[in-house]
Amino acid sequence: MKVTTTMANSTIETDRDFQELADPYRRELLAHCYRMLGSIHDAEDLVQETYLRAWRSYGNFEGRSSLRTWLYRIATNVCLTAIDQRGNRPMPSGLGAPSDEPERPVVASPEVPWLEPAPDAVLGADATDPATIVTARESTRLAFIAALQHLPAKQRVVLILRDVLKWRAAEVAELLDTSTAAVNSALQRARAQLEENAPMRDALIEPTDPAQRDFLERYAKAFEDADIAGLIELFKKDVVWEMPPHLEWFVGADIVVRLISTQCAPAPGDIRMVPAAANAQPAFGLYMRDEEGVHRAYQLQVLSVTEDGVAHVSAFFDTSLFPLFGLAEHL
């Protein structure tokens, strides 16, 4: 009995040690898995899988690398397996040319594993470190996550670890069981390909900019009032509008407004906009009034806002995202 009790106490101590040492890395591992996969739902599942595997193997952890590096190794391998099984997650703009027929019915393709936005509250950086905040914003913006999806999985790993997390080439080589030369070569190819699919060059207004608050209030009011003329003033002339799971996407303020007018046809009061934050960008939960007069979750809009207006709107029709953003299913 004494031996059994001693073994049980030792197991409890090991579990407690693992929990205390590993839990501080959970959020950054979630961000890592999200960058790899482009899905916050999948990322949460794979972080759980990472911790389960790490807990099972913790007794054999010899400390030849830091615990953080060891956890990243497990998480990266779990992500690589998932990518191999599930493929990449595109946005509509990554699959073909824009449509110039906004009056034509759009086609939903729910079978495509679309890219997903992520709540700032989940991926938020350390608020005490300004440099970390800037890096986190740049590396979690939706356009950057979408561009990563164009990279082969191994190149994606290398670019994230080297350029986002600032690991040394030797550390990445050790994690991937390869040579430093191979890591440097993969990074060079990844940067070149990312440049071809680079996020837009316009400087985005930072979420902390006071001018953005007034602009976003005007944007929300234009939707709620069905103010089409007001929307045109807020869009850049070459604004991009895409809306997974629909394949069609659109370019140009006039075309986008025609799309909203014909496909949505809102009357004043039909729409309510609730502010949110996604991928270090402003977002809105859009609620549409149904026949019973209840405003129900309809789409989640993630905006890219520049000094010249709204440059890009990603309108996600997956209402299962609403709870992740702290948004109600109806108002």
Side-chain angles (χ1 to χ4, degrees), residues 165-192:
L165 298 176
K166 307 302 181 185
W167 285 31
R168 292 181 292 108
E171 292 176 304
V172 179
E174 181 183 356
L175 184 145
L176 294 176
D177 292 323
T178 188
S179 67
T180 301
V183 166
N184 290 333
S185 176
L187 179 61
Q188 187 175 7
R189 294 195 304 272
R191 285 172 174 169

Side-chain angles (χ1 to χ4, degrees), residues 223 241 284-287 297-301 315-317 319 322:
F223 267 95
W241 181 285
F284 287 98
L286 187 152
Y287 293 79
Y298 186 69
Q299 65 180 215
L300 180 73
Q301 293 187 8
F316 297 89
F317 280 82
T319 55
F322 273 56

